[in-house]
Amino acid sequence: MQEELMPEETGRRGRQGFASMDAARQREIASKGGSSVPPEKRPFARNHELAARAGRKGGQTAQSRQRQS
């Protein structure tokens, strides 16, 4: 007789971590997004030009990687 598995147990490792939590718990955690970092440690929130430069730099890196492939 084969034991019937629950849907979350049918995968290789089953549902773990964030995926295994109920939706209310996931929303509770997600709503905290970044709140553990004090405002003075968030340079992009205070300096728009710094954020813009970082975004351009990231975009240039992504473009150069696409050209390499």
Side-chain angles (χ1 to χ4, degrees):
M1 185 185 281
Q2 188 177 27
E3 183 180 329
E4 193 171 315
L5 296 175
M6 298 296 289
E8 62 268 9
E9 296 173 353
T10 58
R12 182 170 162 228
R13 296 193 57 173
R15 289 174 45 140
Q16 297 181 357
F18 201 73
S20 67
M21 295 177 193
D22 63 58
R25 179 73 175 132
Q26 288 181 356
R27 277 192 299 278
E28 179 187 337
I29 292 171
S31 71
K32 296 178 181 178
S35 65
S36 65
V37 179
E40 61 273 6
K41 298 279 186 172
R42 297 184 212 164
F44 293 158
R46 294 180 315 196
N47 187 335
H48 178 74
E49 180 55 34
L50 179 63
R53 278 194 313 236
R56 281 192 293 276
K57 183 177 180 181
Q60 291 169 350
T61 301
Q63 288 175 356
S64 67
R65 286 184 182 166
Q66 286 177 347
R67 282 188 236 125
Q68 291 175 355
S69 358

XYZ file of all heavy atoms in Angstrom:
532
model
N 0.839 -1.170 0.000
C 0.000 0.000 0.000
C 0.892 1.246 0.000
O 1.755 1.401 0.829
C -0.891 -0.015 1.241
C -1.872 1.131 1.230
S -2.836 1.245 2.740
C -4.032 -0.016 2.466
N 0.674 2.147 -0.960
C 1.486 3.352 -1.080
C 0.834 4.496 -0.295
O -0.366 4.710 -0.384
C 1.619 3.734 -2.551
C 2.603 4.843 -2.771
C 2.748 5.127 -4.262
O 1.837 4.894 -5.023
N 3.892 5.620 -4.639
N 1.641 5.204 0.488
C 1.137 6.325 1.272
C 0.823 7.498 0.346
O 1.588 7.813 -0.548
C 2.211 6.742 2.285
C 1.776 7.837 3.207
C 2.870 8.206 4.180
O 3.673 7.336 4.556
O 2.919 9.373 4.550
N -0.312 8.134 0.565
C -0.698 9.273 -0.256
C 0.025 10.519 0.244
O 0.015 10.822 1.432
C -2.212 9.486 -0.152
C -2.720 10.431 -1.204
C -4.237 10.440 -1.217
O -4.838 9.369 -1.171
O -4.778 11.549 -1.267
N 0.677 11.242 -0.675
C 1.443 12.423 -0.306
C 0.600 13.678 -0.460
O -0.231 13.775 -1.357
C 2.695 12.552 -1.179
C 3.729 11.447 -1.041
C 4.836 11.653 -2.059
C 4.295 11.398 0.348
N 0.839 14.632 0.401
C 0.199 15.931 0.286
C 0.833 16.645 -0.906
O 1.994 16.403 -1.234
C 0.433 16.749 1.559
C -0.160 16.130 2.805
S -1.946 16.036 2.731
C -2.353 17.763 2.887
N 0.110 17.571 -1.573
C 0.671 18.261 -2.740
C 2.016 18.924 -2.481
O 2.894 18.888 -3.322
C -0.387 19.313 -3.075
C -1.648 18.789 -2.494
C -1.254 17.976 -1.297
N 2.201 19.519 -1.295
C 3.471 20.188 -1.031
C 4.627 19.220 -0.802
O 5.772 19.608 -0.776
C 3.350 21.158 0.152
C 2.992 20.512 1.470
C 1.486 20.475 1.718
O 0.704 20.788 0.807
O 1.098 20.124 2.831
N 4.330 17.948 -0.647
C 5.375 16.958 -0.419
C 5.771 16.212 -1.699
O 6.660 15.379 -1.674
C 4.903 15.929 0.611
C 4.651 16.518 1.974
C 4.031 15.528 2.940
O 3.674 14.416 2.540
O 3.906 15.885 4.112
N 5.115 16.512 -2.808
C 5.374 15.769 -4.034
C 6.633 16.231 -4.755
O 7.187 15.494 -5.541
C 4.183 15.857 -5.006
O 3.935 17.236 -5.283
C 2.953 15.204 -4.410
N 7.096 17.441 -4.491
C 8.309 17.940 -5.125
C 9.538 17.285 -4.539
O 9.475 16.524 -3.575
N 10.659 17.589 -5.129
C 11.913 16.995 -4.669
C 12.185 17.314 -3.202
O 12.583 16.472 -2.428
C 13.046 17.516 -5.547
C 14.380 16.936 -5.190
C 15.414 17.298 -6.228
N 16.717 17.096 -5.630
C 17.701 17.965 -5.669
N 17.548 19.089 -6.288
N 18.843 17.708 -5.089
N 11.974 18.573 -2.832
C 12.264 18.971 -1.461
C 11.014 19.449 -0.728
O 11.091 19.812 0.431
C 13.296 20.078 -1.460
C 14.625 19.586 -2.032
C 15.714 20.515 -1.768
N 15.831 20.748 -0.335
C 16.795 21.421 0.217
N 17.720 21.921 -0.533
N 16.847 21.622 1.513
N 9.889 19.489 -1.401
C 8.677 19.976 -0.753
C 8.701 21.488 -0.626
O 9.602 22.155 -1.094
N 7.680 22.016 0.004
C 7.602 23.470 0.193
C 8.337 23.834 1.461
O 8.059 23.319 2.529
C 6.144 23.900 0.270
C 5.462 23.791 -1.067
C 4.000 24.065 -0.974
N 3.716 25.235 -0.165
C 2.805 26.137 -0.445
N 2.065 25.998 -1.505
N 2.592 27.161 0.353
N 9.280 24.747 1.322
C 10.075 25.167 2.469
C 10.117 26.686 2.535
O 9.916 27.366 1.543
C 11.511 24.643 2.348
C 11.603 23.156 2.356
C 13.044 22.693 2.246
O 13.951 23.490 2.108
N 13.254 21.405 2.305
N 10.409 27.194 3.697
C 10.640 28.618 3.864
C 9.442 29.473 3.525
O 8.311 29.166 3.890
N 9.689 30.557 2.818
C 8.669 31.547 2.502
C 7.486 30.925 1.769
O 6.332 31.240 2.042
C 9.302 32.656 1.664
C 8.549 33.949 1.665
C 8.545 34.768 2.774
C 7.842 34.350 0.547
C 7.863 35.970 2.780
C 7.154 35.548 0.543
C 7.169 36.360 1.664
N 7.758 30.022 0.844
C 6.701 29.400 0.044
C 5.751 28.560 0.884
O 4.585 28.391 0.528
C 7.312 28.544 -1.059
N 6.200 28.055 2.006
C 5.353 27.189 2.817
C 4.461 27.968 3.783
O 3.572 27.398 4.403
C 6.205 26.198 3.611
O 6.967 26.872 4.578
N 4.694 29.268 3.906
C 3.904 30.085 4.838
C 2.554 30.425 4.226
O 2.404 30.498 3.014
C 4.636 31.395 5.123
C 5.926 31.229 5.830
S 6.716 32.833 6.009
C 8.344 32.306 6.489
N 1.581 30.684 5.101
C 0.283 31.105 4.578
C 0.407 32.532 4.055
O 1.345 33.271 4.375
C -0.821 30.976 5.630
C -0.610 31.865 6.831
O -0.508 33.097 6.651
O -0.547 31.328 7.953
N -0.546 32.935 3.225
C -0.483 34.224 2.535
C -0.425 35.401 3.514
O 0.283 36.381 3.265
C -1.666 34.377 1.596
N -1.143 35.315 4.622
C -1.140 36.410 5.593
C 0.258 36.603 6.191
O 0.721 37.735 6.356
C -2.154 36.139 6.695
N 0.930 35.521 6.496
C 2.284 35.607 7.068
C 3.263 36.158 6.027
O 4.133 36.968 6.349
C 2.736 34.219 7.549
C 4.117 34.187 8.118
C 4.207 34.845 9.487
N 5.548 34.665 10.021
C 6.272 35.629 10.542
N 5.784 36.825 10.699
N 7.492 35.394 10.967
N 3.114 35.746 4.770
C 3.983 36.274 3.715
C 3.798 37.783 3.579
O 4.771 38.526 3.458
C 3.675 35.593 2.379
C 4.148 34.169 2.305
C 3.841 33.540 0.963
O 3.209 34.134 0.095
N 4.287 32.316 0.782
N 2.541 38.262 3.592
C 2.278 39.699 3.487
C 2.879 40.453 4.675
O 3.427 41.542 4.512
C 0.772 39.967 3.414
C 0.196 39.814 2.031
C -1.210 40.373 1.944
N -2.138 39.687 2.836
C -2.742 38.540 2.575
N -2.517 37.937 1.430
N -3.572 38.000 3.438
N 2.768 39.869 5.867
C 3.310 40.506 7.062
C 4.820 40.710 6.919
O 5.348 41.791 7.207
C 3.013 39.634 8.279
C 3.552 40.179 9.579
C 3.378 39.201 10.726
O 2.494 38.326 10.668
O 4.153 39.309 11.690
N 5.510 39.690 6.463
C 6.966 39.778 6.291
C 7.319 40.747 5.167
O 8.189 41.607 5.311
C 7.564 38.388 6.017
C 7.427 37.520 7.274
C 9.024 38.489 5.580
C 7.784 36.068 7.055
N 6.626 40.638 4.043
C 6.928 41.479 2.889
C 6.665 42.960 3.172
O 7.358 43.832 2.649
C 6.106 41.027 1.689
N 5.687 43.242 4.019
C 5.360 44.641 4.313
C 6.471 45.334 5.087
O 6.543 46.555 5.133
C 4.058 44.721 5.104
O 4.239 44.239 6.416
N 7.349 44.566 5.705
C 8.451 45.141 6.469
C 9.614 45.547 5.573
O 10.532 46.221 6.042
C 8.945 44.146 7.519
C 7.900 43.830 8.561
C 8.407 42.810 9.544
C 7.332 42.501 10.563
N 7.767 41.480 11.509
N 9.601 45.157 4.331
C 10.653 45.367 3.364
C 11.615 46.501 3.608
O 11.343 47.632 3.253
N 12.757 46.258 4.170
C 13.790 47.254 4.377
C 13.641 48.061 5.646
O 14.466 48.930 5.915
N 12.616 47.824 6.425
C 12.414 48.650 7.616
C 13.471 48.403 8.692
O 13.590 49.196 9.620
C 11.022 48.424 8.195
O 10.878 47.109 8.674
N 14.224 47.340 8.569
C 15.268 47.086 9.557
C 16.477 47.983 9.336
O 17.334 48.098 10.200
C 15.703 45.627 9.511
O 16.304 45.343 8.276
N 16.535 48.644 8.189
C 17.644 49.536 7.876
C 17.219 50.962 8.234
O 16.226 51.461 7.716
C 18.001 49.458 6.377
C 19.145 50.400 6.046
C 18.333 48.044 5.981
N 17.959 51.641 9.106
C 17.578 53.007 9.476
C 17.705 53.964 8.287
O 18.532 53.752 7.387
C 18.572 53.370 10.578
C 19.687 52.415 10.450
C 19.150 51.188 9.793
N 16.896 55.007 8.246
C 16.912 55.943 7.105
C 18.287 56.497 6.780
O 18.617 56.685 5.610
C 15.968 57.063 7.556
C 15.074 56.431 8.558
C 15.899 55.381 9.242
N 19.112 56.760 7.784
C 20.441 57.316 7.503
C 21.370 56.325 6.806
O 22.408 56.702 6.274
C 21.102 57.855 8.779
C 21.347 56.834 9.862
C 20.170 56.634 10.813
O 19.102 57.198 10.590
O 20.350 55.882 11.786
N 20.991 55.053 6.769
C 21.797 54.033 6.092
C 21.251 53.729 4.699
O 21.705 52.806 4.041
C 21.802 52.732 6.906
C 22.408 52.872 8.271
C 23.895 52.810 8.207
C 24.473 52.810 9.611
N 25.862 52.570 9.626
N 20.255 54.488 4.255
C 19.661 54.283 2.928
C 20.065 55.439 2.016
O 19.313 56.388 1.825
C 18.139 54.232 3.028
C 17.636 53.090 3.833
C 16.130 53.072 3.804
N 15.645 52.538 5.066
C 14.424 52.663 5.497
N 13.542 53.317 4.800
N 14.075 52.149 6.650
N 21.239 55.400 1.431
C 21.715 56.543 0.660
C 20.863 56.860 -0.571
O 20.736 58.020 -0.937
C 23.137 56.148 0.262
C 23.159 54.667 0.332
C 22.192 54.300 1.412
N 20.275 55.875 -1.189
C 19.486 56.142 -2.391
C 18.211 56.894 -2.068
O 17.692 57.645 -2.891
C 19.155 54.856 -3.136
C 20.365 54.177 -3.742
C 20.323 52.834 -4.046
C 21.520 54.866 -4.017
C 21.416 52.196 -4.612
C 22.629 54.242 -4.581
C 22.564 52.901 -4.874
N 17.682 56.716 -0.871
C 16.467 57.426 -0.474
C 16.750 58.906 -0.261
O 15.874 59.746 -0.429
C 15.897 56.814 0.802
N 17.973 59.237 0.089
C 18.318 60.631 0.363
C 18.950 61.332 -0.820
O 18.933 62.554 -0.914
C 19.300 60.694 1.529
C 18.717 60.253 2.845
C 19.751 60.347 3.916
N 21.005 59.792 3.406
C 22.016 59.453 4.133
N 21.973 59.616 5.419
N 23.096 58.946 3.599
N 19.561 60.592 -1.727
C 20.347 61.209 -2.790
C 19.921 60.650 -4.141
O 20.376 59.587 -4.564
C 21.837 60.939 -2.531
C 22.736 61.696 -3.487
O 22.342 62.046 -4.591
N 23.965 61.925 -3.063
N 19.052 61.384 -4.825
C 18.526 60.922 -6.113
C 19.642 60.749 -7.153
O 19.637 59.786 -7.926
C 17.472 61.895 -6.634
C 16.932 61.516 -7.957
N 16.061 60.468 -8.130
C 17.161 62.012 -9.189
C 15.775 60.343 -9.416
N 16.420 61.266 -10.086
N 20.588 61.661 -7.180
C 21.668 61.577 -8.169
C 22.518 60.324 -7.957
O 22.913 59.658 -8.911
C 22.547 62.831 -8.122
C 23.684 62.819 -9.131
C 23.245 62.603 -10.577
O 22.163 63.054 -10.961
O 24.011 61.950 -11.332
N 22.783 59.963 -6.704
C 23.531 58.744 -6.406
C 22.780 57.518 -6.921
O 23.363 56.619 -7.531
C 23.767 58.631 -4.901
C 24.524 57.395 -4.410
C 25.938 57.371 -4.967
C 24.556 57.376 -2.890
N 21.475 57.490 -6.705
C 20.654 56.377 -7.186
C 20.667 56.316 -8.716
O 20.771 55.237 -9.304
C 19.230 56.514 -6.676
N 20.574 57.466 -9.357
C 20.586 57.509 -10.825
C 21.906 57.004 -11.384
O 21.939 56.231 -12.353
C 20.303 58.930 -11.303
N 23.014 57.423 -10.768
C 24.342 56.952 -11.225
C 24.470 55.443 -11.059
O 24.987 54.754 -11.944
C 25.457 57.646 -10.439
C 25.797 59.011 -10.954
C 27.106 59.500 -10.367
N 27.143 59.286 -8.921
C 27.352 60.223 -8.016
N 27.567 61.443 -8.380
N 27.355 59.929 -6.732
N 23.995 54.925 -9.939
C 24.074 53.479 -9.699
C 23.224 52.728 -10.725
O 23.633 51.678 -11.226
C 23.604 53.152 -8.287
N 22.064 53.264 -11.050
C 21.211 52.629 -12.049
C 21.857 52.611 -13.423
O 21.797 51.614 -14.143
N 22.486 53.728 -13.790
C 23.175 53.762 -15.090
C 24.331 52.765 -15.121
O 24.535 52.067 -16.106
C 23.691 55.180 -15.375
C 22.626 56.131 -15.868
C 23.212 57.417 -16.418
N 23.849 58.221 -15.394
C 23.219 59.080 -14.594
N 21.921 59.242 -14.716
N 23.881 59.778 -13.703
N 25.075 52.707 -14.030
C 26.209 51.780 -13.959
C 25.726 50.338 -14.095
O 26.314 49.532 -14.815
C 26.952 51.963 -12.636
C 28.180 51.113 -12.501
C 28.907 51.394 -11.194
C 30.131 50.547 -11.054
N 30.829 50.797 -9.775
N 24.630 50.004 -13.408
C 24.069 48.656 -13.516
C 23.599 48.349 -14.921
O 23.795 47.250 -15.430
N 22.983 49.323 -15.559
C 22.522 49.133 -16.934
C 23.676 48.913 -17.896
O 23.601 48.094 -18.807
N 24.761 49.640 -17.700
C 25.933 49.463 -18.559
C 26.524 48.073 -18.385
O 26.931 47.433 -19.348
C 26.983 50.526 -18.243
C 26.583 51.915 -18.651
C 27.508 52.970 -18.093
O 28.350 52.705 -17.245
N 27.327 54.207 -18.550
N 26.567 47.591 -17.160
C 27.091 46.253 -16.888
C 26.224 45.196 -17.559
O 26.729 44.271 -18.190
C 27.158 45.989 -15.373
O 28.007 46.966 -14.792
C 27.694 44.615 -15.075
N 24.917 45.352 -17.457
C 23.991 44.385 -18.059
C 24.149 44.373 -19.574
O 24.151 43.311 -20.200
C 22.558 44.714 -17.669
N 24.297 45.558 -20.182
C 24.461 45.628 -21.635
C 25.763 44.983 -22.076
O 25.809 44.285 -23.072
C 24.403 47.083 -22.098
C 23.019 47.678 -22.024
C 23.007 49.151 -22.382
O 24.054 49.763 -22.626
N 21.830 49.732 -22.395
N 26.834 45.202 -21.327
C 28.122 44.623 -21.731
C 28.086 43.095 -21.596
O 28.705 42.393 -22.377
C 29.269 45.205 -20.915
O 29.184 44.804 -19.569
N 27.345 42.583 -20.637
C 27.219 41.128 -20.490
C 26.427 40.530 -21.643
O 26.730 39.433 -22.099
C 26.559 40.775 -19.171
C 27.461 40.965 -17.986
C 26.815 40.517 -16.716
N 27.715 40.756 -15.595
C 27.348 40.727 -14.349
N 26.107 40.472 -14.020
N 28.228 40.952 -13.393
N 25.423 41.242 -22.119
C 24.642 40.737 -23.254
C 25.502 40.667 -24.503
O 25.393 39.750 -25.300
C 23.424 41.629 -23.501
C 22.338 41.460 -22.489
C 21.175 42.401 -22.720
O 21.275 43.345 -23.506
N 20.085 42.158 -22.045
N 26.365 41.651 -24.685
C 27.223 41.664 -25.861
C 28.255 40.529 -25.827
O 28.666 40.031 -26.846
C 27.951 42.994 -25.982
C 27.054 44.081 -26.542
C 27.855 45.344 -26.837
N 27.208 46.418 -26.090
C 27.791 47.215 -25.236
N 29.067 47.119 -25.007
N 27.127 48.142 -24.596
N 28.672 40.140 -24.625
C 29.676 39.085 -24.490
C 29.126 37.718 -24.820
O 29.856 36.834 -25.224
C 30.248 39.069 -23.077
C 31.100 40.279 -22.771
C 31.561 40.300 -21.322
O 31.154 39.453 -20.528
N 32.393 41.254 -20.964
N 27.812 37.512 -24.636
C 27.261 36.173 -24.856
C 27.007 35.866 -26.297
O 27.012 36.544 -27.173
C 25.970 35.935 -24.127
O 25.491 36.927 -23.345
